[in-house]
Amino acid sequence: MIEIPAGEFVRGADHHDGDDGRRTANVEAFFIDEHEVTNAEYAEVVETHTFREGAAGHPVTHVTFDEAKSYCEQRKARLPTGDEWEKAARGTDGRLYPWGNTLGRRKPHPFYSGVVKKSAGSNRRDVSPYGVHDMAGSVWEWTDAGDDTLRETRGGLWNLHLDFEYSKTFHRNRLPADSRFIFLGFRCARSAD
């Protein structure tokens, strides 16, 4: 896990549907996984989890909010809050993408809709100022934000939006907690105290 220091950061966007506006937010120090939980890591805790050959290092997907939350708790961790996830992705300067403000020239993944073709942490460009990987060009990730009916996801959706334009650090999506998709995974966090 990577430590994210306490303090302020720029949150949200000026003109983005569903966002409550650009503002300064503050979070306590916390730790977050360097990359999404992989199939192999998930299978170490959830013995019934199976995956195709060669996909051990790929992000685990088809996991509901409660399953992701349970996995994190078994690791003595938790899902990150929406603000924690966003600070880990964009740093303190309000960058649009984890690497800065310029749109990536290459697609985040090859055009193989429905099948992740890269291992977690393998995109050398998709790295936040803190060293957190795959926050824009991989799978959506569950966070602990939301309510009883809809939970917030963050991150890049390689399966539908094969372009970084739709993977900005402030983008939020809300899904029913029982959603289970090929493009939906998670990472864990832990308070620093």
Side-chain angles (χ1 to χ4, degrees):
M1 291 185 125
I2 293 178
E3 184 172 10
I4 310 298
E8 293 184 343
F9 73 103
V10 176
R11 178 191 186 279
D14 290 330
H15 305 287
H16 181 67
D17 292 338
D19 189 63
D20 57 1
R22 188 177 175 99
R23 64 181 173 83
T24 301
N26 194 1
V27 296
E28 297 297 318
F30 67 98
F31 291 89
I32 193 165
D33 284 343
E34 182 178 357
H35 56 76
E36 300 109 337
V37 173
T38 66
N39 281 310
E41 291 167 337
Y42 192 74
E44 288 176 9
V45 173
V46 181
E47 294 176 6
T48 58
H49 178 67
T50 60
F51 50 91
R52 64 182 174 76
E53 187 176 337
H58 295 179
V60 66
T61 59
H62 287 105
V63 177
T64 67
F65 171 81
D66 288 333
E67 290 167 341
K69 184 177 176 182
S70 175
Y71 171 88
C72 290
E73 288 170 353
Q74 290 180 63
R75 281 187 45 203
K76 300 198 179 346
R78 58 178 170 73
L79 290 170
T81 68
D83 281 356
E84 287 173 340
W85 193 99
E86 189 166 338
K87 182 174 183 182
R90 75 189 312 186
T92 59
D93 58 359
R95 54 186 59 201
L96 298 177
Y97 307 99
W99 56 85
N101 293 318
T102 58
L103 187 63
R105 284 185 263 157
R106 299 178 118 177
K107 301 288 184 191
H109 286 275
F111 291 98
Y112 294 101
S113 183
V115 181
V116 175
K117 291 292 184 182
K118 290 190 176 185
S119 293
S122 65
N123 186 335
R124 292 184 305 235
R125 180 167 168 83
D126 188 0
V127 181
S128 82
Y130 300 108
V132 184
H133 290 253
D134 298 335
M135 299 189 91
S138 193
V139 296
W140 275 349
E141 300 175 24
W142 289 114
T143 70
D144 200 26
D147 54 39
D148 289 339
T149 57
L150 295 175
R151 305 307 302 195
E152 185 176 282
T153 64
R154 297 297 200 98
L157 176 53
W158 59 268
N159 188 44
L160 179 59
H161 303 303
L162 291 168
D163 191 316
F164 286 118
E165 176 61 27
Y166 303 99
S167 299
K168 292 190 173 103
T169 55
F170 54 82
H171 281 170
R172 295 170 183 75
N173 304 288
R174 290 188 164 235
L175 295 172
D178 62 352
S179 297
R180 188 185 301 275
F181 296 114
I182 187 79
F183 49 78
L184 179 58
F186 68 99
R187 71 180 75 219
C188 300
R190 179 169 44 85
S191 300
D193 52 10

